[in-house]
Structure formats: structure tokens, C-alpha cells
Amino acid sequence: MTRCDEGGGMSFRKRSEVIGGGGAPPTPRNPLIGGRGPPTNPARTPGIARGPGIARGPANLPTPSRPGATSITNPSVRPSLATSQPTVSTGSSDVDKLLRHQGIPLGSSLAVLESGTTDFSSVLLRAFIAQGIIHNRLESKAVNCHGIVVGFNHHWARDLPGLYKGSKKDQQRQQVLANANKVSVTNANMKIAWRYGINQSKTEAKSETDDNNSAYEHYRHTFDLTEKLLPAPTPADISYIPLASSIQLVKQIKQIIERKVAENPNIVIRVVVPSLLNPSIYPPSWCQLTSVTPFIHGLREITRNYANNVVVMVSLPLDLYQETPIPQLISSLADGAIRLEPFAHDMAQLIERVHKSEPQRVTHGLVHIDKVPVLSERGEMLVQRSEYAFKNGRKRFEIEPWGIPVDEEEVDDKDKQTTKDIEF
């Protein structure tokens, strides 16, 4: 195998010699001197084999750490189903599914925009904080998560939902399973049957389901909106930041995060900003872009600088600022954005009339997906409007596919009118 040299001569290379393989790389000719000199950029020289002991760049530059690499040991974190990034639950399984990641990836933010005068978004934010507190109670003296509530005091945490213990049938079933784990002759016979392949197919199917559910069994919990979280959260669980200037708020959030991360590098910090710019809470000076913009940019900076530990959720009453650029600003700077649109009075009455025999099927509004963390930033078109409906049920916040309800009474009346005999 031959190659032409720059001087016009021919050189030979052995067939067993790998081009660009191990050994010293070919030294390019220095165009300024005319002879062979050292390469201008050794780090970018092609053909250098990179072994485990060879650095990827200059020796004086540190290798950047992968975002979220140290937080995967936290029981509240699991890999995203879409991108494999470390992800935490929002406290609502249905919202986790809408976001495509089974939660919010670490280092991301979610904006919940709500139309009308309702406050359904507060249910999501409280479940988000309550989920972190439950993770702290998995082990004694464990601080796996910490919550930061902006603009409210400890009274906000009084309405945190408690864990859902299940219906009476579920509780009886759990009691039966607990009794079944006890040593008895029947259990011994069942183990023998499993050992020799009797009913093995059913047992294997059940074991596969159990394994899938137990891989991240503490990742997400179901909350009962009719119950309160007991015992009440402690200062180790939640920090409260009173209202101040936007720059001061961002500074205080950073200080808390730095202190908590220094104590535990694997901690997950959930920052919530309930009812942002609500006139009953925020002064008029906050309703100007000169105050809101630095605060939103500050939150975005925090999620980028602490991508291994921080997730942010913000709620905004949309109708109060519909004619201003504030909602667009928040949606564009947040990594994810969903919008809750409660039904108008006429539609709500129709739904209640249609489902009067099944009140558990009554929905309260539509859920619009404007943006999904990470995936929307990569260019995937994931905007969905009027495809899902939410209901703030007695037990939990649920989201389901939306379809226009049909009033069966009106249909029956039309059928009766068209089935009459007409005589001429």
C-alpha cells in the first residue's frame, strides 16, 4: 500500500499497520518553516487512540460532570422514559405521563397557567411538595428532599394532602397479603407448587409485574386530597421565603440551595412559586416586567447551575395578565408549560347532567400542553390542545382523554319525535 509524499516521493506502509492506530501520530509539516514541526493543536489531532489513561483534552481543563449523575441514588429519582435523564415525580401520576418523562427532569422547570378564578393549580403544587416530604420519611433521619415555598409562610403547608390508604377493599386485600406472607402450611404448599412448575405461568406473570413495580417503588405516591399530611412538615422539610424584591428572592433561594447541597450532594430540592403575581399576595410593583423578568431569569439560572439537584414549579393566574406579555415570558423561559382551563358554567352543568348517575366521571376543565421539558427544546412538536380533561376528584387530581359528552335524554327526545307515524 503506497501513499504520495508532499515532496513527490513514494512511501510504503505495511498491510498489518493500522492507519491512525496506536503509536505516534504522523507529524504534519509546518507551513511556516517548511519542515516538520509539532502539531498546532495536539488535542484535536485525528487518529489518536483514546485509551482509559489518555485524557480527552488539555490537562489543565476539568472534565465536565454529567447532569444528575450523583442524584440517581436518591429514592425520589428515576431515569426518564424518554431521555434517561434523572427525573422526579410531580406527585400526580397523570401529570407525570403528560410530561413524557414520568415526571420533571432534574434541572428543569414547569409552569402551570390557569384560566378563570379557580385555584386547581395549587393542588398540583401541594402534591409536588408533599411528595418530597414523603421521601424524607422513608428512613429515619434521612433528608432526601427539601422544599422551598416562595411568597408564603408555614400556613401554606397546612393543606398538604396525606397519603392515600386505599379503599376498604384495598385495605382488606393488603391485610390478606400481609397474612399470606406469614409462615403456614398453605404457604409452604404454594412454594412447593411454584418450585415444581405448578401454575408457573401465572406466578411468573405476577412476579414480572411485581418486579416492574418494585424497581422504583418509592418514586411516586398517591395522595388523598381529603386528608392532611401528618405529622406536619418540619423546617428540615420546607423553607419559606417571604416576598421581597425579585433579586433578593433569587439570592435567598440560592443561599438555601447552596447550604442544603453542601450538607447532602444527592439531595433533591423542589422550589414552588404558588399563585405568582396574584394581586392578593404580590404588591403592584411586581406586576411590571422590570420586576418579573429578573425573577424568571433568576429561576432559570438556578435550574441550570444546580442541574443535579433542583426542580421548579410555578403557577400563574392567567386571566389577570392575558393582555400582557407576562404569560408568554414565563412560558418561553420555563422548560415545560401546561394550561388548565376550567369549563364554563353551561358546559359544567351539561357534564353534571350527563353523568348524574356517575358523579365520579364529572370533569372540571381542559388541560392544554404547550411545552414539554427537554423534548420541546429539542424541536419535537408536542403541543396538544383540548385533548385531555382534568378533574379534582375526592381522592386525587386526575387527567383523562377528553370527549364531548352526549346528553342521552336529548337523544331520546329526538328519537321519539322521529318515530311517530305521520298521516296525510
Side-chain angles (χ1 to χ4, degrees):
M1 181 176 180
T2 62
R3 63 179 178 87
C4 294
D5 199 357
E6 293 181 2
M10 304 290 291
S11 62
F12 296 87
R13 183 184 302 275
K14 296 180 180 180
R15 292 181 179 274
S16 60
E17 183 178 352
V18 180
I19 298 177
T27 305
R29 184 183 299 275
N30 193 329
L32 298 179
I33 302 176
R36 295 184 180 276
T40 57
N41 191 354
R44 296 182 177 270
T45 302
I48 299 180
R50 290 176 175 173
I54 300 178
R56 292 182 178 271
N60 58 345
L61 293 179
T63 302
S65 60
R66 180 164 55 90
T70 59
S71 298
I72 200 65
T73 57
N74 194 304
S76 64
V77 179
R78 64 166 294 173
S80 164
L81 295 182
T83 61
S84 298
Q85 293 178 260
T87 303
V88 298
S89 174
T90 61
S92 171
S93 59
D94 293 335
V95 176
D96 291 347
K97 294 176 183 177
L98 285 184
L99 298 179
R100 306 296 181 92
H101 300 276
Q102 290 297 317
I104 306 178
L106 287 175
S108 301
S109 58
L110 176 66
V112 183
L113 312 177
E114 183 172 358
S115 305
T117 58
T118 56
D119 193 18
F120 292 109
S121 59
S122 64
V123 178
L124 295 178
L125 268 65
R126 285 188 168 92
F128 180 65
I129 288 292
Q131 182 65 85
I133 297 175
I134 296 300
H135 288 142
N136 283 345
R137 298 177 181 179
L138 296 177
E139 303 174 2
S140 59
K141 299 182 180 180
V143 184
N144 297 314
C145 301
H146 187 77
I148 299 178
V149 180
V150 178
F152 288 81
N153 54 22
H154 64 279
H155 295 289
W156 186 84
R158 290 181 178 179
D159 295 327
L160 293 181
L163 281 177
Y164 178 63
K165 299 178 181 179
S167 61
K168 293 182 179 180
K169 291 183 179 180
D170 294 336
Q171 296 178 12
Q172 292 175 358
R173 189 179 299 111
Q174 293 177 1
Q175 184 65 31
V176 170
L177 292 176
N179 295 333
N181 292 330
K182 298 179 181 179
V183 178
S184 64
V185 176
T186 304
N187 293 339
N189 293 335
M190 292 176 63
K191 292 180 180 179
I192 293 173
W194 177 84
R195 174 66 180 82
Y196 290 98
I198 303 174
N199 295 331
Q200 187 173 2
S201 60
K202 295 182 180 180
T203 306
E204 288 179 351
K206 184 178 184 301
S207 63
E208 290 178 1
T209 304
D210 293 341
D211 290 341
N212 293 334
N213 293 334
S214 62
Y216 303 99
E217 58 180 347
H218 300 300
Y219 174 73
R220 183 193 301 116
H221 297 81
T222 304
F223 294 96
D224 188 346
L225 302 180
T226 62
E227 299 290 337
K228 292 186 178 181
L229 184 63
L230 296 175
T234 64
D237 297 323
I238 303 180
S239 297
Y240 305 94
I241 301 179
L243 283 181
S245 63
S246 57
I247 298 177
Q248 188 65 25
L249 280 182
V250 173
K251 188 175 181 180
Q252 294 182 21
I253 295 173
K254 288 182 179 180
Q255 291 175 352
I256 296 175
I257 294 175
E258 291 176 356
R259 184 173 68 253
K260 294 297 180 180
V261 172
E263 296 173 357
N264 180 12
N266 291 333
I267 194 172
V268 172
I269 300 177
R270 300 167 179 253
V271 181
V272 296
V273 186
S275 302
L276 178 64
L277 303 184
N278 191 322
S280 62
I281 304 169
Y282 287 79
S285 58
W286 263 87
C287 302
Q288 302 176 3
L289 283 176
T290 54
S291 296
V292 180
T293 304
F295 180 66
I296 301 301
H297 276 282
L299 292 179
R300 184 177 176 85
E301 178 192 3
I302 289 174
T303 58
R304 298 304 183 261
N305 292 341
Y306 300 94
N308 297 349
N309 305 94
V310 176
V311 283
V312 176
M313 187 179 291
V314 181
S315 65
L316 174 73
L318 193 58
D319 286 356
L320 297 176
Y321 303 96
Q322 191 69 49
E323 303 299 328
T324 68
I326 292 178
Q328 184 63 29
L329 170 70
I330 295 176
S331 298
S332 61
L333 293 181
D335 297 290
I338 62 175
R339 183 159 49 92
L340 305 181
E341 183 183 354
F343 290 127
H345 182 68
D346 295 340
M347 177 62 73
Q349 284 187 333
L350 172 62
I351 295 175
E352 291 179 359
R353 184 170 65 252
V354 171
H355 300 300
K356 62 181 179 181
S357 59
E358 297 176 314
Q360 70 275 7
R361 297 183 57 186
V362 174
T363 53
H364 299 104
L366 298 175
V367 179
H368 308 290
I369 304 173
D370 296 334
K371 201 175 180 182
V372 175
V374 181
L375 301 180
S376 293
E377 187 175 356
R378 293 179 178 178
E380 297 190 30
M381 302 301 293
L382 300 174
V383 177
Q384 294 177 307
R385 303 288 173 83
S386 304
E387 295 186 16
Y388 297 95
F390 72 89
K391 56 182 176 181
N392 190 24
R394 183 175 179 272
K395 295 298 182 182
R396 63 193 183 99
F397 190 92
E398 301 178 68
I399 297 176
E400 59 186 25
W402 162 247
I404 299 177
V406 178
D407 193 348
E408 296 181 357
E409 294 182 357
E410 294 183 359
V411 174
D412 292 341
D413 294 340
K414 292 180 180 179
D415 292 340
K416 291 177 181 179
Q417 293 176 2
T418 56
T419 55
K420 290 183 178 179
D421 295 333
I422 302 177
E423 297 180 359
F424 295 96

